[in-house]
Amino acid sequence: MIDPDRIQSGQDLAEQLSALFGEGGWSMHRLAKASGLSTATVQKMINGPGVPQARTLEAFVAACQQPTGPWLRARDRAVKNRESAKPSVADLQEQLAEAKAQVRRAEAALHLNGGTPEQILKSHARQKLEQFAVQDPIADPQNGHLYLVVHPAAGAEDALVDLLTQRPEYELAPIIRRIVRDRGHAEFAPDLDRGAWERRSTGYALVSGVDRETGAIHESRFLETSVHEDGSVTLVCGVGCIQVASGWRSASADLYDEQPQYRAVSPWLVLGLAYGALALAGTLARTHSGYEGDWLVGLRVTGLNGAWAYEVVRQGDQGMVLPYKDSGYERIAICETSDLLAPAALTEKLTGSLIRGLAIGHLVLPYPRTDTP
């Protein structure tokens, strides 16, 4: 029975929130979207035993269409009882984990020459993304491009040197194949597990869409995924936004008329490449470098103005959906290694606004989907 008046502790609150969550038939993703909270926050609230912030609780309860007053009073009781009682092991572990996270962020901020930790980290992430994007090997792009940077905020410069002295086919290739296999069912091209390995001054790159004899780059097939000695992973793709023919032809059109072309973005490609690169960085950190600090993550997609989702264009539904209006898309995030090892939530945080802006979120989110053909 759901009754906030019975709540006396953080564990009571978590149990009541869990019951409220179950009664509403919610999924983590849908409740997170309805409340404006992250899926990680929703999961933490219903698993307990901590006490959420008042505004966080208010957003959760309001999304469940419950009056917020009784729940906020219940929270106050839980806080008072917690303060007057000896802290539990779980409370101490939670406080320790939060303290360690704060120390890591402070150390990273000092490492990056001072400032407010969150501001400095995001500023440095944006700088890393900008420095990477200007090195795009395609000087005169016809398509929109996708750029992704996953960089350890305070990692060692030689974190993966031992790994990268070996042939990538032995260590890196199997990891990437496993990530692609476990990522989801939707297929797209180019993908992370295709291409040829090339040595770089800072590591190795897996490259597709480049003529091996002439070095000419075929933009529509170009993808370069790089693993660097400092533990970072970068990715540039030549098909962030492309020209696609509509799947619908007017009955009055001549059979031999050339089909009109429309700018299109593949949500599966954006999601899949982001998920894969995040998972690759996290896996290498956990299995080879041992890095457990904060990460700077930046995603950018260019050439988006007037674009539709690929599926909309192929179905001929452009007249039913408004095109994307901004010229580009960029998101910056700060995360921990654990977020990279299970990157679904971070992938949605990075790409969700773009996917929803393309009016196709209901088909591809939450990600990875298990119901795709």
Side-chain angles (χ1 to χ4, degrees):
M1 177 180 177
I2 298 174
D3 182 5
D5 291 336
R6 300 168 57 188
I7 294 172
Q8 299 296 328
S9 67
Q11 186 61 49
D12 291 343
L13 179 58
E15 291 174 358
Q16 288 286 306
L17 291 175
S18 179
L20 188 60
F21 175 85
E23 183 180 78
W26 295 97
S27 69
M28 293 284 185
H29 173 76
R30 287 197 303 110
L31 184 53
K33 184 176 180 181
S35 63
L37 304 172
S38 69
T39 53
T41 298
V42 171
Q43 184 177 28
K44 187 175 180 180
M45 290 176 71
I46 64 178
N47 288 338
V51 178
Q53 295 293 323
R55 60 184 179 183
T56 303
L57 177 62
E58 192 171 15
F60 183 107
V61 172
C64 294
Q65 299 182 343
Q66 291 278 318
T68 58
W71 292 89
L72 292 175
R73 289 192 293 272
R75 178 192 177 275
D76 290 342
R77 286 195 303 273
V79 170
K80 290 178 180 178
N81 290 338
R82 182 182 64 181
E83 290 174 349
S84 63
K86 182 179 179 180
S88 66
V89 172
D91 287 335
L92 293 173
Q93 289 175 335
E94 183 179 358
Q95 293 170 20
L96 179 59
E98 179 61 27
K100 287 181 177 179
Q102 292 177 0
V103 169
R104 284 198 299 269
R105 286 186 169 83
E107 289 176 342
L110 290 172
H111 179 75
L112 300 174
N113 298 321
T116 303
E118 192 75 9
Q119 292 176 340
I120 287 293
L121 291 173
K122 287 190 173 182
S123 175
H124 198 58
R126 188 169 283 107
Q127 182 182 36
K128 287 287 183 183
L129 179 61
E130 183 65 31
Q131 291 172 344
F132 175 62
V134 298
Q135 298 173 16
D136 191 331
I138 301 177
D140 186 22
Q142 303 302 305
N143 300 333
H145 288 189
L146 182 151
Y147 309 93
L148 182 66
V149 173
V150 191
H151 184 83
E157 293 183 0
D158 59 351
L160 295 180
V161 166
D162 291 342
L163 170 66
L164 296 177
T165 56
Q166 306 174 45
R167 292 179 60 87
E169 294 87 347
Y170 298 146
E171 291 284 351
L172 293 174
I175 293 173
I176 292 175
R177 286 196 297 268
R178 184 172 64 254
I179 290 171
V180 170
R181 182 193 67 211
D182 297 341
R183 178 187 58 199
H185 300 300
E187 296 183 356
F188 55 85
D191 204 349
L192 292 162
D193 58 346
R194 298 289 184 268
W197 288 100
E198 297 181 1
R199 182 66 192 179
R200 295 286 193 267
S201 61
T202 62
Y204 268 105
L206 182 59
V207 185
S208 59
V210 177
D211 189 295
R212 305 298 296 173
E213 295 184 0
T214 66
I217 298 176
H218 303 282
E219 187 177 14
S220 62
R221 304 197 303 272
F222 178 68
L223 175 64
E224 181 175 297
T225 307
S226 301
V227 177
H228 303 269
E229 292 180 348
D230 62 4
S232 59
V233 171
T234 57
L235 180 150
V236 55
C237 178
V239 287
C241 187
I242 58 175
Q243 296 288 334
V244 176
S246 174
W248 179 84
R249 179 185 291 271
S250 171
S252 61
D254 189 285
L255 181 62
Y256 299 102
D257 285 347
E258 185 175 343
Q259 284 283 76
Q261 300 281 312
Y262 300 89
R263 296 191 71 76
V265 182
S266 169
W268 293 116
L269 179 140
V270 175
L271 285 160
L273 293 182
Y275 182 100
L278 295 170
L280 177 58
T283 300
L284 295 177
R286 179 59 55 85
T287 59
H288 289 85
S289 72
Y291 179 73
E292 293 290 343
D294 285 323
W295 292 78
L296 316 175
V297 181
L299 171 72
R300 178 183 295 177
V301 184
T302 62
L304 291 173
N305 191 27
W308 285 269
Y310 177 84
E311 289 77 4
V312 171
V313 174
R314 294 303 297 162
Q315 293 171 14
D317 291 338
Q318 301 92 296
M320 302 176 64
V321 179
L322 292 175
Y324 198 86
K325 291 300 183 183
D326 295 328
S327 60
Y329 176 86
E330 182 175 297
R331 284 295 181 273
I332 302 297
I334 308 302
C335 69
E336 299 181 5
T337 303
S338 58
D339 298 315
L340 301 178
L341 291 167
L346 182 56
T347 300
E348 289 194 29
K349 181 177 180 180
L350 289 170
T351 65
S353 294
L354 173 60
I355 301 301
R356 291 187 291 273
L358 293 168
I360 201 168
H362 63 291
L363 295 179
V364 299
L365 299 178
Y367 184 82
R369 292 289 288 263
T370 58
D371 56 354
T372 54

